Amino acid sequence: MEYYSGKINKLIESLASLPGIGIKSAQRLAFHILDMPQTEVENLANSMIDAKRQVCYCSQCYTLTDQEICPICKNPNRSQKQIMVVENPRDLAAYEKTGKYEGVYHVLHGAISPMLGIGPSDIRLKELMQRLQQEVEEVIIATNSSLEGETTAMYISKLIKPTGIKVTRIASGVPVGGDLEYIDEVTLLRALEGRTEL
Amino acid sequence: MEYYSGKINKLIESLASLPGIGIKSAQRLAFHILDMPQTEVENLANSMIDAKRQVCYCSQCYTLTDQEICPICKNPNRSQKQIMVVENPRDLAAYEKTGKYEGVYHVLHGAISPMLGIGPSDIRLKELMQRLQQEVEEVIIATNSSLEGETTAMYISKLIKPTGIKVTRIASGVPVGGDLEYIDEVTLLRALEGRTEL
């Protein structure tokens, strides 16, 4: 790595530390960045710093947003009585793309995984239970259909059942082992329509 | 793209504008960045701004460096009488990795391409000719063996020939470890033409 001068090496190393970017891609990106106009580089750098500084959790659904309450929770046309539980904001976005869901969300920021040592207290479950003290008619569990997602779904349903609130799980039209964010809208809608009571 | 709030969208768009990064990778990177500690994000952003601000062209060989003259040109152990002409700093790094070349370089920053409208005056050719007014024994042309690279090599050799300086071209042939049956005909013919006596 001593074939470039200090600043270039530092840039390549920083880029290579990002997920999915190897040393070759990092080199390519670094030289692209050095070729970009100064203002564009500053825009790119500032968009990172800005996002990191100003993005926080929605105080209601815990998705990432740059406001106190996210636009979905704030929207008066969305039913607050239907809460869809997802693992992360990318999964929320995947369902938003279908344009058909009219309830609100709850973002767990993870799934229960004994393998990785992630327990129920490591995800936003307590916050979900607190929300259920308000008037809620249905909780739709849309965690991934991976082992961790299913475990989390079972755990949540057992937790909510005693409260008498209806708990549903999106249908397994979603292929087993699939990651919500990569699935096409039609399949996602199929899964929403075919949800069954737990 | 309205599924995330403003700052996140802006970050995703900035990242997606980089080469080889699609919208899905940009989303993944954006959420990774939002998960990183504040100081790491600032380091990454600053490494871009720093590199862009402080990296300039070596006044001798025109590679990218953060000094007036790059470490290779400055190195007293490197022969200034042998100049290897390459298309870009990545190609320079590729030859540096061999650790065997003891001359210096000249970086053209491109290759002649009538298709893309890149002519001899758009690359650092004038600067190369100026360097040849000093005592130079050999110019090794190591442009890529693409159409553009070959065109550039031919052009440079014709330009230098009248000065009496020796001009050579890196050999083109079968790559080491390559399997003959998978190599294209042009390369095989090139390898045959360039055969050397054992």
Side-chain angles (χ1 to χ4, degrees), chain A residues 30-77:
Chain A
F31 284 103
H32 177 83
I33 287 168
L34 291 171
D35 262 354
M36 277 159 60
Q38 177 95 23
T39 52
E40 266 186 50
V41 176
E42 280 167 10
N43 280 344
L44 173 62
N46 289 333
S47 68
M48 289 179 188
I49 293 177
D50 275 6
K52 181 63 195 173
R53 277 202 195 136
Q54 294 177 34
V55 168
C56 54
Y57 297 118
C58 166
S59 63
Q60 210 168 313
C61 74
Y62 295 92
T63 190
L64 292 166
T65 178
D66 50 11
Q67 294 155 46
E68 162 72 14
I69 293 178
C70 78
I72 296 170
C73 288
K74 235 189 253 172
N75 188 339
N77 297 324

Side-chain angles (χ1 to χ4, degrees), chain A residues 3-8 10-11 14-15 17-21 24 27-29 31-38 40-55 57 64-67 71-72 89-94 96-97 179 181-183, chain B residues 1 3-8 10-11 14-15 17-21 24 27-29 31-38 40-55 57 63-67 71-72 89-94 96-98 109:
Chain A
Y3 317 114
Y4 305 113
S5 56
K7 298 281 172 194
I8 305 179
K10 189 161 173 289
L11 176 58
S14 297
L15 291 168
S17 72
L18 294 172
I21 297 184
K24 286 272 175 196
Q27 280 177 26
R28 195 162 279 272
L29 283 175
F31 284 103
H32 177 83
I33 287 168
L34 291 171
D35 262 354
M36 277 159 60
Q38 177 95 23
E40 266 186 50
V41 176
E42 280 167 10
N43 280 344
L44 173 62
N46 289 333
S47 68
M48 289 179 188
I49 293 177
D50 275 6
K52 181 63 195 173
R53 277 202 195 136
Q54 294 177 34
V55 168
Y57 297 118
L64 292 166
T65 178
D66 50 11
Q67 294 155 46
I72 296 170
R90 292 193 301 276
D91 294 345
L92 180 157
E96 274 305 281
K97 274 175 206 165
D179 219 337
E181 67 168 306
Y182 294 115
I183 294 163
Chain B
M1 283 302 303
Y3 317 113
Y4 305 113
S5 56
K7 298 282 172 193
I8 304 179
K10 189 160 175 290
L11 176 57
S14 297
L15 291 168
S17 72
L18 294 172
I21 296 185
K24 285 276 175 192
Q27 281 177 25
R28 194 164 279 273
L29 284 175
F31 283 103
H32 177 84
I33 288 168
L34 290 172
D35 262 354
M36 277 159 60
Q38 177 93 26
E40 266 186 49
V41 175
E42 280 166 11
N43 281 345
L44 172 62
N46 289 333
S47 68
M48 289 180 188
I49 294 178
D50 274 8
K52 180 64 195 173
R53 277 202 194 135
Q54 294 177 35
V55 169
Y57 296 118
T63 191
L64 292 166
T65 177
D66 50 11
Q67 293 155 48
I72 296 170
R90 291 192 300 278
D91 295 345
L92 179 158
E96 275 305 281
K97 275 175 204 162
T98 68
H109 290 280

Side-chain angles (χ1 to χ4, degrees), chain B residues 91-156:
Chain B
D91 295 345
L92 179 158
Y95 255 106
E96 275 305 281
K97 275 175 204 162
T98 68
K100 297 287 185 197
Y101 177 63
E102 288 171 343
V104 291
Y105 295 90
H106 187 87
V107 181
L108 294 173
H109 290 280
I112 296 169
S113 169
M115 284 270 285
L116 298 172
I118 301 170
S121 60
D122 298 317
I123 58 178
R124 302 272 182 181
L125 253 181
K126 207 177 63 206
E127 290 85 347
L128 174 64
M129 297 313 288
Q130 274 164 0
R131 285 180 78 179
L132 299 186
Q133 288 166 4
Q134 283 154 13
E135 200 191 340
V136 173
E137 282 170 4
E138 184 180 3
V139 174
I140 304 167
I141 306 179
T143 51
N144 287 327
S145 72
S146 60
L147 183 62
E148 292 79 15
E150 295 291 355
T151 310
T152 310
M154 288 303 293
Y155 188 92
I156 295 175

Side-chain angles (χ1 to χ4, degrees), chain A residues 62 125-134:
Chain A
Y62 295 92
L125 252 182
K126 206 177 65 207
E127 291 85 347
L128 174 64
M129 296 313 287
Q130 273 164 1
R131 284 179 79 180
L132 299 186
Q133 287 166 4
Q134 283 154 14

